[in-house]
Amino acid sequence: MKSFKRLIQDSMFILGGMIAVYIAYITGTGEILNYVHFADPLNEMFFCMASLSMGVGCIIAGFSKA
């Protein structure tokens, strides 16, 4: 059984990962352009890929047993 502190820490990784994946989703659909203006479409594509990578990495770290 995990300690309560470890469970909270893992939950924060998973929550952060879900937020990052949501940001990647709204970037991919173009909804984020209402809030952030990108200078070039390549910047927007890299931002989407970076937030998606960070989201997946955080979710994997949250579920890992290490």
Side-chain angles (χ1 to χ4, degrees), residues 2 6 10 60-66:
K2 291 184 178 181
R6 176 75 180 189
D10 291 347
I60 289 172
F63 281 115
S64 71
K65 300 290 183 185

Side-chain angles (χ1 to χ4, degrees), residues 23-35:
I23 290 173
Y25 172 74
I26 65 172
T27 303
T29 59
E31 185 181 339
I32 201 168
L33 294 175
N34 297 330
Y35 311 107

